[in-house]
Amino acid sequence: MLTVENLTCARGGVPVLTEVSFAVEAGRALILRGPNGIGKTTLLRTLAGLQPATDGTVRFPEDEGAYASHADGIKTALTVTENLKFWADVHAADLPDEILKTFDLADLRDRLGGTLSAGQKRRLGLARLGVIGRKVLFLDEPTVSLDAFSVRMFADWLQNTHLAAGGVAVIATHIDMGLDAPELDLTPFKAADDAGGGSDEAFL
């Protein structure tokens, strides 16, 4: 479902990763590993089409990708239900009540987003992924602010709902989420220190 061939991606016009190649089949996830600054976020943003690749190709079904970063992306003046309904409407999708239960938000459905704790906001942000219906997820440290219980809850949804339905996930994380997924160490793809490029390109 997702194929990456000889991809070079840059930050600020300077290559950070070169000749990255991998494939992820439907129903599978891939965990990205590497030290801080190696380029995990840059790679995910490039895969998702949020910034152009310097070279190489990325292929997955059109209009099936979604990127989720550290930001929760919620509207503080809307309730939990209204936040999820907003994203459901944007994607012309239904808002199943099961999503609120899956992400432990049922008891918070009428709470304003701005009154939630950091962990609750993170769960709400992740619950959007269960609403929008995109098959290919690019996830940048999705478990930030989550306790161990919530990490397991999200991993269960990812493994037993999203992947079980034929979806794909590429995940940058420093923790063990307990997923049945191979890991890709990005260190061998690090661009040379004297790689060409300039710093005049905006980081989109």
Side-chain angles (χ1 to χ4, degrees), residues 36-101:
N36 289 334
I38 192 70
K40 296 186 292 294
T41 294
T42 301
L43 175 59
L44 286 171
R45 290 175 58 86
T46 303
L47 294 175
L50 299 178
Q51 63 185 72
T54 301
D55 197 8
T57 59
V58 178
R59 293 193 296 272
F60 59 85
E62 186 175 4
D63 295 329
E64 285 292 353
Y67 171 77
S69 68
H70 314 101
D72 298 317
I74 67 174
K75 297 182 179 298
T76 58
L78 298 182
T79 67
V80 166
T81 301
E82 289 169 341
N83 267 280
L84 293 177
K85 185 66 165 58
F86 170 83
W87 286 104
D89 290 346
V90 167
H91 291 270
D94 296 326
L95 173 56
D97 193 63
E98 188 65 27
I99 290 296
L100 291 163
K101 298 176 182 176

Side-chain angles (χ1 to χ4, degrees), residues 33 151 173-179 183:
R33 299 292 194 193
V151 170
T173 179
H174 288 287
I175 72 167
D176 180 4
M177 294 176 60
L179 293 173
E183 298 183 358

Side-chain angles (χ1 to χ4, degrees), residues 4-20:
V4 179
E5 296 179 340
N6 299 318
L7 188 71
T8 295
C9 52
R11 181 171 54 237
V14 178
V16 292
L17 295 170
T18 63
E19 299 183 1
V20 179

Side-chain angles (χ1 to χ4, degrees), residues 85-188:
K85 185 66 165 58
F86 170 83
W87 286 104
D89 290 346
V90 167
H91 291 270
D94 296 326
L95 173 56
D97 193 63
E98 188 65 27
I99 290 296
L100 291 163
K101 298 176 182 176
T102 297
F103 289 88
D104 196 22
L105 296 168
D107 292 341
L108 303 171
R109 65 175 69 234
D110 297 322
R111 284 270 299 275
L112 294 177
T115 68
L116 301 176
S117 70
Q120 290 167 342
K121 289 177 180 177
R122 180 90 289 238
R123 295 206 312 271
L124 176 55
L126 292 173
R128 293 176 303 164
L129 301 175
V131 171
I132 63 177
R134 295 295 178 96
K135 287 288 188 181
V136 184
L137 302 181
F138 303 104
L139 308 177
D140 191 0
E141 298 290 352
T143 58
V144 169
S145 300
L146 293 184
D147 58 21
F149 172 80
S150 297
V151 170
R152 289 194 301 272
M153 179 177 60
F154 176 63
D156 285 345
W157 172 82
L158 202 58
Q159 188 82 62
N160 300 321
T161 300
H162 178 70
L163 299 180
V168 159
V170 181
I171 311 164
T173 179
H174 288 287
I175 72 167
D176 180 4
M177 294 176 60
L179 293 173
D180 177 18
E183 298 183 358
L184 178 65
D185 183 2
L186 296 180
T187 305

